[in-house]
Amino acid sequence: MPPPGDRHRGGLSTSPESADPGSAADESVEVLAADGSVVEIVPRHRMRSEGLAHRATFVITVLASPEPGGPSDDSTTDDSLSDRLERWLGDLSWPLLGPDVDGRPAPVPPDLGPAVHLASDTPLVVHRRADWKDVYPGYWDLAFGGVCSVGERWLESAERELTEEAGLPTRTATAVTGGRPVTVVPVAAGRYVDDRSETFGVVFVAFADRDPVASDGEVVAIERIPLGDLATWVTDRPVCPDSKSLVVPVVSTLIDRPGPHR
């Protein structure tokens, strides 16, 4: 039996606002102003039902090793990266994205780490959401991730969500399977808005050396898609619209053409 409520990001809940005490639907969530500042703390089910602006992470997961001299556990994914990311986002004029807005996510500045370059045939891990989910049930998602906890830092939220949903260990979150931590680096940010939701999203890339293991019941299928095929792949499948608006344009900037598979 799945837990009541949907911890994942995005859209309007179609279930009643009431939920069992202690469920995910009753967890506290930050509501944001247009500049990204926190203005209120509300239960998650109210954020869903009213489509309130909130924070969420989107972790693009690729089956590739970090480039030599690029993102690595020893260089960019240290404690200072989280501090620098928070400062940049605190000053960011969040670009608008959505079905009615022709916008693009803002790329992170160079001081947040070396640019990410990947070959077009690098495998991207996508997944299908369980049919019991009350937000986009059965839809495909291009990134792991979810709503940030109250007061949670962006990088730590991305690492936590990746471990919870994909079973991959990170610098700050250890999976049951153990293993070498997966490198997670920020690449872009944007504010997704449609007629049902408003999400301030930060996009990360996770470099995985193994396939994710879906064990929490939220993910029911996993596929590998070459990065270069993603724009075509999303055209004939139901894909979470916030994920599509944030991830597809970011992926196009990550592909290094031409170049060897890294």
Side-chain angles (χ1 to χ4, degrees):
M1 180 72 178
D6 180 3
R7 300 193 60 212
H8 206 70
R9 58 178 178 264
L12 174 66
S13 172
T14 58
S15 61
E17 285 195 358
S18 60
D20 293 337
S23 73
D26 288 324
E27 293 178 0
S28 296
V29 176
E30 298 166 341
V31 176
L32 308 184
D35 62 357
S37 61
V38 178
V39 295
E40 190 178 4
I41 306 295
V42 303
R44 188 180 300 260
H45 65 76
R46 181 181 162 197
M47 176 270 285
R48 297 286 188 212
S49 63
E50 298 181 23
L52 302 176
H54 60 282
R55 295 192 298 136
T57 56
F58 297 74
V59 187
I60 300 170
T61 303
V62 295
L63 298 177
S65 298
E67 299 176 342
S72 72
D73 291 324
D74 298 328
S75 60
T76 59
T77 49
D78 55 20
D79 291 336
S80 67
L81 174 61
S82 185
D83 293 337
R84 287 179 279 132
L85 177 61
E86 294 291 327
R87 287 194 294 270
W88 177 65
L89 293 170
D91 296 331
L92 181 66
S93 296
W94 292 77
L96 279 177
L97 315 169
D100 300 321
V101 182
D102 187 20
R104 296 182 67 85
V108 301
D111 70 311
L112 287 180
V116 175
H117 298 288
L118 295 165
S120 61
D121 60 350
T122 300
L124 165 69
V125 177
V126 299
H127 65 276
R128 191 171 73 81
R129 296 161 57 79
D131 290 333
W132 56 260
K133 302 282 278 186
D134 61 0
V135 179
Y136 306 126
Y139 276 53
W140 285 92
D141 207 337
L142 310 180
F144 296 104
V147 177
C148 300
S149 299
V150 174
E152 187 176 34
R153 288 188 154 212
W154 286 99
L155 178 58
E156 285 70 24
S157 179
E159 292 178 331
R160 173 183 59 77
E161 290 284 356
L162 184 65
T163 298
E164 290 178 356
E165 291 192 348
L168 296 172
T170 61
R171 183 179 57 91
T172 59
T174 304
V176 175
T177 55
R180 184 175 183 272
V182 171
T183 299
V184 180
V185 294
V187 289
R191 177 184 170 200
Y192 174 84
V193 180
D194 62 20
D195 60 354
R196 304 199 310 172
S197 66
E198 181 173 349
T199 305
F200 286 72
V202 176
V203 183
F204 297 79
V205 173
F207 296 86
D209 60 358
R210 76 212 79 167
D211 284 309
V213 178
S215 60
D216 64 359
E218 295 189 31
V219 175
V220 296
I222 290 177
E223 287 191 12
R224 296 183 180 189
I225 306 297
L227 288 178
D229 294 348
L230 181 63
T232 301
W233 187 88
V234 300
T235 59
D236 59 356
R237 291 170 177 81
V239 177
C240 296
D242 54 353
S243 176
K244 186 174 180 178
S245 290
L246 281 158
V247 172
V248 173
V250 169
V251 163
S252 69
T253 69
L254 302 180
I255 297 175
D256 186 18
R257 299 187 180 92
H261 186 105
R262 292 182 172 88

